[in-house]
Amino acid sequence: SLEMLAAADPKNQQKILSSISALVERAGLQMAEVKQALEAHRSDDAARLLHTMRGSIGTLGAKDFAVLSLQVENKIREGEDDHIAELLHDLEQELQKTVTAAGLWLAQKRADNKQTSLATLAAEEAQILMQRLIACLRQNDIAAVDVFAELKENLSHKIPATSLAQLSQQIQDLDFQGALALLAEFSL
């Protein structure tokens, strides 16, 4: 359910992750408010808080929490105090499982986003280096040798090994026009 939520709008994924993070951070406080309301004999407040929590925590895909919170909410609304303490304990444990799972998921998503950002940066850097290589080749600038050395690993993922070997030889032999012609065969 979290995957679907995050994938629903990739442009706003950071906002979604922040919202989920805030929801996870608030969950413990909300549970404490439920307990305080019950201790103060404010059953309606406790039931309302549980109802709200069920909706918000339910968006995380916490089906067991949702079922259990509905049972507790109904018992509170019906005035059945029997086993409320046990049910609340079970509900807290279920909430903790959900919060832990959501926290791990958030950490993974943040790590994935960081890797994606680094990959994008690497792709942008590679594009800049490619433009620089082409400029050096066009100007018969010996700096093309050094730029190619920086770019070679990246190119190994984009052009066939035989073409890369040929390109490497052309640049080593300072056949810059041949290297340009070979690069023109690929959309880089």
Side-chain angles (χ1 to χ4, degrees):
S1 183
L2 288 177
E3 287 296 329
M4 290 172 36
L5 186 61
D9 191 357
K11 288 186 252 178
N12 289 317
Q13 187 175 38
Q14 191 56 45
K15 288 179 187 174
I16 292 168
L17 292 177
S18 294
S19 296
I20 292 171
S21 182
L23 184 77
V24 166
E25 290 172 15
R26 272 194 325 263
L29 294 173
Q30 287 177 312
M31 184 57 78
E33 289 177 21
V34 169
K35 288 175 147 184
Q36 288 172 353
L38 286 172
E39 288 171 5
H41 304 289
R42 294 186 339 257
S43 300
D44 288 341
D45 290 344
R48 182 182 43 76
L49 286 165
L50 281 171
H51 183 84
T52 301
M53 284 182 73
R54 184 173 63 256
S56 58
I57 300 297
T59 62
L60 302 177
K63 294 177 185 172
D64 292 341
F65 177 86
V67 168
L68 192 54
S69 65
L70 179 60
Q71 289 174 2
V72 176
E73 180 186 344
N74 287 339
K75 286 204 177 281
I76 290 171
R77 288 191 192 280
E78 294 165 5
E80 295 180 27
D81 292 339
D82 299 344
H83 309 290
I84 290 285
E86 292 172 26
L87 286 172
L88 276 177
H89 176 73
D90 293 346
L91 189 60
E92 280 184 291
Q93 287 182 326
E94 200 55 51
L95 179 62
Q96 189 56 47
K97 287 181 196 174
T98 301
V99 166
T100 300
L104 292 171
W105 182 85
L106 282 166
Q108 181 61 50
K109 281 294 170 196
R110 288 181 178 133
D112 291 349
N113 286 349
K114 187 175 182 179
Q115 288 175 342
T116 300
S117 295
L118 289 174
T120 301
L121 180 61
E124 289 172 3
E125 288 175 359
Q127 187 63 36
I128 290 168
L129 282 173
M130 179 56 71
Q131 291 169 354
R132 189 166 161 220
L133 175 64
I134 290 171
C136 287
L137 292 172
R138 285 183 178 144
Q139 296 169 3
N140 288 317
D141 186 340
I142 193 76
V145 175
D146 294 329
V147 175
F148 177 73
E150 288 183 64
L151 198 54
K152 190 172 182 178
E153 174 63 28
N154 183 276
L155 285 173
S156 72
H157 302 288
K158 296 181 178 182
I159 65 176
T162 54
S163 297
L164 183 61
Q166 183 181 355
L167 180 62
S168 184
Q169 189 61 50
Q170 287 172 322
I171 290 176
Q172 186 179 9
D173 293 343
L174 306 179
D175 178 9
F176 294 161
Q177 296 312 307
L180 271 172
L182 182 61
L183 284 172
E185 294 176 23
F186 304 98
S187 9
L188 304 170

